[in-house]
Structure formats: structure tokens, C-alpha cells
Amino acid sequence: MADHGAGSAPLNQRTLTDADFRLMVDSVTDYAIIVLDPGGIVISWNEGARQLEGYDAPEVLGRHFSLFYPTELLEQNRPEQALETARRDGRLEEEGWRLRSDGTRFWASVVITRITGAGGEVRGFSLITRDRSENRRQDEMLRMSEERFRLLVEGVKDYAIFMLDPGGHIVSWNLGAQKNKGYEASEIIGQHFSRFYPPEVAATGWPEQELRNALRDGRFEDEGWRIRKDGSRFWASVVITALHDATGRHRGFAKVTRDLTERRRVTALEDEGRRVTNFLAMLGHELRNPLAPISNALELLKREKTESAAVVHTRDIIGRQLRQLTRLVDDLLDVGRITSGKIQLENKPVRLRDAIAEAIEAVRPLIEGKSQTLHLQAQDADPWIAGDSARVIQIVSNLVHNAAKFTGNGGNIHVSLSRTAADADISVRDDGPGIPPQDLQRIFDLFVQGEQNLARTQGGLGLGLSLVQQLTTLHGGRVSAFSTGRPGEGSEFVVQFPTTEAPVAMLEAQPRPVGEQRVLVVDDNVDAAETMAMLLEALGYRSSVVHGGLAAIEAVKAQDPDVVLLDIGLPDLSGHEVARRVRAEMVNPPPLIAVTGYGQASDRDTSLEAGFRAHLTKPVDVDKLSALLERLLEPPRFKAA
């Protein structure tokens, strides 16, 4: 018997061990266990490989293992790269697509291990493959679900949806957040969410308190003012939800914000309208009736010559109190008209610098009477808005009057004008007693005033601020009140109007003589426009022609015509829209004459409502046109610079 050496097992025992090992490998069905020679040729094949790959042993033994790779991986020389990595590092682990014998693909987890001989030489490789298609399908479904959720959140535009870390720093940002707050994701991620709060609110620690409330209760809901990137304020509905993982660990917060500025404004107007419309209409008119004879009697007294100082003093007192009473009644009537929908606002360019100046002049006697100092700051801001100049003056004068009334003798009033991206902001600030916190949210309600002493030294009906809010709303703007409620720190009211472009200045200060008067013809029918221009030249006018609505607006601004003959059915903007824009965008728009094929009574009414001075039906009667032009241009139209 041969000597097997110390520690060597008998031959029959070693053969049994190899057989057992082979039996174990062959019986594994969940894994393909394959042995490759150093060049990648398959030299062993187990039952798991047959079930997974679909080949019987005779079909695959002796063939290169690249047989299992799809074409795109073969083109990348992936089989040889995999063997080279395993030869160099001892092991390669990867996942990827593999092929079965029928050509179908499966997602495989692959481990290739180098087999090294006693002398260190590479004897071959073990290749263990497992089908992970189901796991990959589930992972892909989870990924798609997460992707759909991400797309859903990021695509929402009406709500700002973003996440905060446990400390309140922003870690995600959706499209709605960008739209509502004005920040790009790159600008805001990593910043603390308290930057969305007004400074006076952030200074109180309220943002952090909201997080504590949400963490304590799981959820916190609130409404209040928030700030956009450009500094403008909006009324927000906010929901903050605390987020925890499966182990209960706090991971941060989800924050959902919605802009409710418009809804808040409309709701406030509707509630106030229902509450006071009938009462104000009755009260205002009843109080107005005795004012007329009182005013007339006072004028008669002024005409009487008297040497009595007491009579003169008493007469002056009556005059001052009559003006105050008239102001109160006017406020009552204005509120009544607004809430009943009977007020009519002009829609013309308004220069806010001029409106503020006139408003201050109206309140100056009260300011000077209390030895107060008014500080006016406009810097380089010179915004224009579309609206009713008289009502804008009324808004500002009410705010300045309110500040002067509630500020003590020798106090300060600050009025400033500034402009953001789309709004013009007017701020009126004082150093009076301020507004108590419990009154701040209802200060714009009708008949509401701050706390006063029993003597009611400030007086008033609580209409001024409500009127400011309603008139501002009718101009498409918004008004906000800010105050700490601490005496001496006063209050601030900010009115925001949407801005418009400055109107075209009329350069012609003198009327044009006969023969120099200009008529602009606007008609998309080239022949009709050209022949009308020739006819006007024959009548003694200078004419020019454009063929579209937008071109008409530009021509009116650039050419300063004396009259415009405007077709209604234009291809881009209708004649009615052109008329409305010209009236809104110019200080002194020229007379507009509608020239159209529509001649019904309703068509004429629509033209007049849009701002046309006359309505002519095609074909135009030359005598009527000539008489109309003479009437509009004689005497010549004077233009204000």
C-alpha cells in the first residue's frame, strides 16, 4: 500500500468527499454554479445552471461563458473584462442582464472567483449566478412610485410643498414653492425657513414655535402674512407636519403653504357688504340732507360784517366742525356705494408721486396743528398705476390722516414710496401708541377702532381704514397693517398697487392748424385703409395707415394723431380692446371713431362703452365723416404735456 504521507486521508475517503461535494453542487437549484477554465470555457454545469440558463450540460460544456451575455455587453468586451478583474483582484461581483438559451433576458447577480493552484497559478474561475429579476422588478416599481410621487410634488403649482430638516432648514423645493415665494431651489435650499416670515414675526421666535407645536402634536396649521423673495407680502395658509421614520426617529417636517390673499380679500369684502350695505345707504343720505342748509347758512354768516370777535370765532368753529362732519358723511356714502357695487372708478394712468403730494396737502392743516413732522421719502421710485386718481388720493390721505390723528403733538409721520418687481408700495408709518395685538387682525373691519379712553379724544366712526382697504382692493391692490402694540413704536400701513407703464407724454402743447391735423386709419383691409387715407387727404387732413391692433396702439403713441378711425374686427386685438388700452395707457388719448361693418344698435352701444366717440358703419358716408371730423377738431384739441 502506498504511503499517502502524514495527515493524508485514504483514497476511498478522499473520493467520497469529492463525490459528496459534487452531489451538493449539483443539488443546488437556486444558483447556477459553474466552473470555467482560465480562458473562460465552461467545464462544469450544475442543475441550478440548467434551470436558470436553460441549457443541458452537453449543450454548454466546452463553450465560452460569453454565451450568457447580451449583444451590447459583448460589444463592450464585458466577459473578458470581468475575467481580467477576477484574475487581478481575486473576485468580481456585479449585476446586469444575462441571456437564457431561448434568448430571453433576466437580471442576474454574478460572482466570479479566481481559483488558484498550489503554486499560485490560475486554475480557472467559479461563476455563481442568481436570478434577481423579481427583486429588480420590485425595486423598479418602488423607484417608479417614488419618481411619480416626486413628479407629483414637484409639479404642483398652487401649493408650496417642501421639506425641512429637524432644525428648520429647507432640504427640498417644488415648483409651487418657487412660484409662490419667488426663490429658485439653488437659492433657498439650506436656508432657514424663518426667512419667509415678516421681520417682526420672526423676531418673536414664532417660526421655531410652529415647529415645536408640530413636533408635539404631529401637525400644526396657521394663517398669517409671509414674505416673497421680492419683499412683497401675501396671506398664507400653512400646514406643518412632523415626519418620523419606521423606528420613530424624527427626520424633519413637511410644510405646505398656499397663497390665500385673493380669497381673504374677497371674503372680507363679501362679509362687510352683506353687513352694512342697507344701513350705510340710509344713514349717509339722511345725514347729508341737513348738511346743505347748514353749509349755506355758514356762507351767509361769512358775508355779514361784524365786529364781534366771539361771532367770528364761533363761525370758524362751526366751519371746522362742518368740514369734519362732511368728511364723515362722505366716508359713509363711499362705503355704502362700494358695498352695494354702485361706485364707478376711472381707469386712467395715475402717477403715485403726485397722488401722495396731493394727499399730504389735504391733511397738512391737521399735521401742522399738532406740530408734527412729516418725512417723505421716494428715492428714485416714480411708479404709475392704472386707476382713479381721486380715489388713490383718498386712500393715502385717509392713512396719513389716521397717522396724524393717533400720533401725539410733536410726533413723526413717515411716508415712503418704493417699487418692487410688479408692485408699487406706499408706506405710512408713525410713532404713536401703535395697535394692540388683539385689534391688528380686525383693524380694517367697519366701525372698528383701536382702544380709546372714555373721552374718545380721537373721535371718528372707524370707517377710514375700511374704506382704504376696499378702495385698494377695487384697484387690484392690497393693504396690510403692522404694529408691535408697544407705545411709541407706532404702526405702519403698507398699500401695494400693481404697476403699469408710464403713459406717453403729449409733446404737442399747441393745437395744430387746419391742414396739419392728423388722422390715423386702422383697418386690416389694405384697400379699404388706403382709399380711406386718400379720401382724408382730399378732405384736407394728413393721414397714416396701420393694419393691426397692436400696431395701432404703437402708432397712436408715436404719431400723436388728432383722430383715429378704428376698425373693430382686427386680426390680433379687437378695436374695442385697442380703445380700452389707449384710454388706460395715455394721459390724453385722441378721439376714437369706430368704422365697422357692424351697425346694430347693440354694436353702437358696445363701441360707446369701450370709449369710442362715434360709430360709423361701412361704407362710410363722406358727408357724415367730414362733419364729424370738423365737430371733433373745431375748436382744435388742446393737449396737456
Side-chain angles (χ1 to χ4, degrees):
M1 179 179 292
D3 185 2
H4 296 290
S8 298
L11 180 60
N12 63 341
Q13 183 177 352
R14 185 172 69 251
T15 303
L16 179 62
T17 301
D18 290 344
D20 288 342
F21 175 75
R22 182 69 204 181
L23 179 62
M24 179 189 69
V25 171
D26 285 343
S27 64
V28 172
T29 58
D30 291 336
Y31 294 83
I33 303 176
I34 307 166
V35 177
L36 310 176
D37 71 8
I41 302 299
V42 179
I43 59 176
S44 78
W45 192 253
N46 79 328
E47 177 61 20
R50 188 191 69 80
Q51 293 187 17
L52 179 59
E53 308 280 3
Y55 294 96
D56 291 328
E59 297 178 285
V60 74
L61 291 175
R63 301 179 67 178
H64 196 272
F65 84 112
S66 59
L67 174 71
F68 312 132
Y69 284 73
T71 303
E72 67 271 13
L73 294 182
L74 292 176
E75 292 175 350
Q76 299 172 17
N77 201 30
R78 187 59 192 158
E80 286 74 12
Q81 293 174 0
L83 288 186
E84 181 59 33
T85 300
R87 180 180 289 109
R88 182 185 69 245
D89 301 335
R91 187 174 187 273
L92 168 72
E93 184 173 353
E94 66 177 358
E95 289 191 358
W97 292 110
R98 296 296 184 268
L99 291 179
R100 294 188 177 91
S101 62
D102 61 3
T104 59
R105 297 183 179 218
F106 67 98
W107 189 260
S109 171
V110 177
V111 179
I112 302 177
T113 305
R114 183 184 64 203
I115 302 174
T116 307
E121 73 280 8
V122 177
R123 299 288 303 276
F125 302 91
S126 67
L127 172 61
I128 300 176
T129 304
R130 188 178 187 187
D131 186 355
R132 304 290 293 178
S133 300
E134 180 61 25
N135 299 77
R136 187 175 190 275
R137 188 184 68 83
Q138 293 178 3
D139 290 344
E140 183 66 15
M141 289 179 61
L142 177 60
R143 187 192 67 78
M144 291 178 63
S145 176
E146 292 174 345
E147 177 72 5
R148 284 193 294 266
F149 180 75
R150 182 185 66 80
L151 292 174
L152 172 65
V153 171
E154 291 184 355
V156 171
K157 298 180 181 179
D158 293 333
Y159 293 82
I161 304 174
F162 53 98
M163 288 186 62
L164 310 175
D165 67 13
H169 298 90
I170 299 161
V171 296
S172 73
W173 196 249
N174 80 325
L175 185 61
Q178 178 181 330
K179 175 185 175 184
N180 286 334
K181 298 182 182 292
Y183 293 93
E184 299 282 350
S186 59
E187 298 177 292
I188 199 65
I189 288 179
Q191 301 294 320
H192 197 270
F193 84 111
S194 59
R195 73 160 45 198
F196 305 137
Y197 291 70
E200 67 274 11
V201 176
T204 66
W206 179 241
E208 292 77 8
Q209 184 61 46
E210 287 185 334
L211 297 187
R212 289 192 290 269
N213 293 343
L215 188 59
R216 181 192 65 210
D217 303 328
R219 182 179 185 275
F220 180 76
E221 186 170 355
D222 187 29
E223 287 192 7
W225 291 109
R226 298 296 184 268
I227 295 181
R228 296 186 177 91
K229 177 184 176 182
D230 63 6
S232 62
R233 302 188 183 218
F234 67 100
W235 187 260
S237 169
V238 178
V239 178
I240 303 176
T241 305
L243 303 177
H244 299 82
D245 61 19
T247 66
R249 177 187 174 193
H250 178 222
R251 301 300 300 273
F253 302 90
K255 195 165 188 290
V256 180
T257 303
R258 189 178 187 190
D259 184 352
L260 294 183
T261 307
E262 181 65 22
R263 179 184 297 180
R264 182 175 185 264
R265 181 165 57 241
V266 172
T267 300
L269 285 175
E270 290 175 347
D271 291 345
E272 292 175 1
R274 284 189 296 266
R275 183 157 56 98
V276 301
T277 298
N278 293 333
F279 171 73
L280 293 180
M282 177 273 297
L283 181 62
H285 285 93
E286 289 301 317
L287 290 175
R288 197 65 174 268
N289 287 332
L291 288 180
I294 294 175
S295 177
N296 294 337
L298 181 62
E299 289 299 321
L300 291 173
L301 284 176
K302 290 180 180 180
R303 297 174 184 275
E304 290 291 326
K305 295 182 179 180
T306 178
E307 301 297 330
S308 171
V311 171
V312 173
H313 182 63
T314 303
R315 185 186 63 198
D316 292 341
I317 292 175
I318 295 173
R320 288 194 296 272
Q321 296 305 313
L322 178 62
R323 286 193 296 272
Q324 175 66 8
L325 181 58
T326 301
R327 179 188 179 91
L328 294 176
V329 174
D330 286 342
D331 282 352
L332 276 173
L333 289 173
D334 279 340
V335 172
R337 293 188 190 104
I338 292 172
T339 54
S340 62
K342 295 179 180 179
I343 192 168
Q344 297 293 326
L345 295 183
E346 289 187 343
N347 187 30
K348 292 184 176 181
V350 178
R351 188 186 187 194
L352 289 184
R353 278 177 177 261
D354 297 339
I356 292 174
E358 291 191 42
I360 290 174
E361 285 304 311
V363 189
R364 191 171 295 280
L366 175 60
I367 295 174
E368 293 176 348
K370 300 182 72 173
S371 300
Q372 296 167 342
T373 302
L374 188 140
H375 308 268
L376 179 60
Q377 183 179 10
Q379 298 178 345
D380 297 328
D382 190 14
W384 289 71
I385 67 170
D388 191 314
S389 178
R391 296 302 184 179
V392 174
I393 293 171
Q394 185 178 3
I395 291 170
V396 180
S397 66
N398 274 9
L399 290 177
V400 177
H401 184 275
N402 186 73
K405 182 170 67 172
F406 287 96
T407 300
N409 293 338
N412 293 275
I413 300 171
H414 300 264
V415 180
S416 66
L417 173 64
S418 60
R419 180 171 183 170
T420 60
D423 293 327
D425 295 356
I426 300 174
S427 168
V428 178
R429 179 168 53 88
D430 60 64
D431 54 10
I435 303 171
Q438 65 269 23
D439 292 338
L440 195 58
Q441 296 302 325
R442 60 190 189 96
I443 198 67
F444 294 108
D445 294 345
L446 282 174
F447 309 118
V448 170
Q449 287 186 307
E451 295 179 356
Q452 298 192 40
N453 55 33
L454 292 177
R456 288 186 55 82
T457 54
Q458 277 80 26
L461 297 175
L463 294 177
L465 293 180
S466 178
L467 193 56
V468 165
Q469 183 191 54
Q470 295 182 68
L471 288 174
T472 302
T473 300
L474 290 174
H475 280 83
R478 52 191 177 273
V479 60
S480 311
F482 308 98
S483 178
T484 63
R486 292 188 287 268
E489 295 186 5
S491 57
E492 179 183 15
F493 291 86
V494 178
V495 178
Q496 297 172 289
F497 293 113
T499 58
T500 187
E501 292 185 3
V504 177
M506 292 298 189
L507 301 178
E508 294 282 346
Q510 298 297 324
R512 294 191 181 100
V514 176
E516 297 294 325
Q517 294 160 329
R518 305 172 186 172
V519 180
L520 174 65
V521 179
V522 184
D523 199 318
D524 61 328
N525 185 311
V526 176
D527 291 338
E530 296 295 338
T531 54
M532 177 57 73
M534 294 171 61
L535 177 60
L536 290 168
E537 295 282 349
L539 292 175
Y541 300 99
R542 292 191 175 185
S543 64
S544 57
V545 173
V546 294
H547 302 295
L550 292 173
I553 295 172
E554 294 302 319
V556 171
K557 295 178 179 179
Q559 299 177 19
D560 185 24
D562 297 278
V563 177
V564 179
L565 301 184
L566 180 57
D567 187 21
I568 300 300
L570 297 172
D572 47 2
L573 295 180
S574 72
H576 296 141
E577 181 61 24
V578 172
R580 282 188 284 268
R581 285 191 51 178
V582 166
R583 294 180 65 203
E585 297 175 14
M586 298 187 67
V587 176
N588 290 313
L592 305 177
I593 300 174
V595 180
T596 176
Y598 302 100
Q600 299 295 325
S602 59
D603 300 323
R604 298 177 184 275
D605 293 341
T606 302
S607 294
L608 295 177
E609 290 173 1
F612 286 94
R613 299 284 290 275
H615 183 103
L616 300 180
T617 304
K618 295 179 180 179
V620 173
D621 186 303
V622 178
D623 292 335
K624 288 184 178 180
L625 174 61
S626 179
L628 179 58
L629 291 174
E630 288 179 3
R631 187 168 71 250
L632 292 175
L633 298 177
E634 294 291 344
R637 182 169 58 96
F638 286 85
K639 304 174 184 179

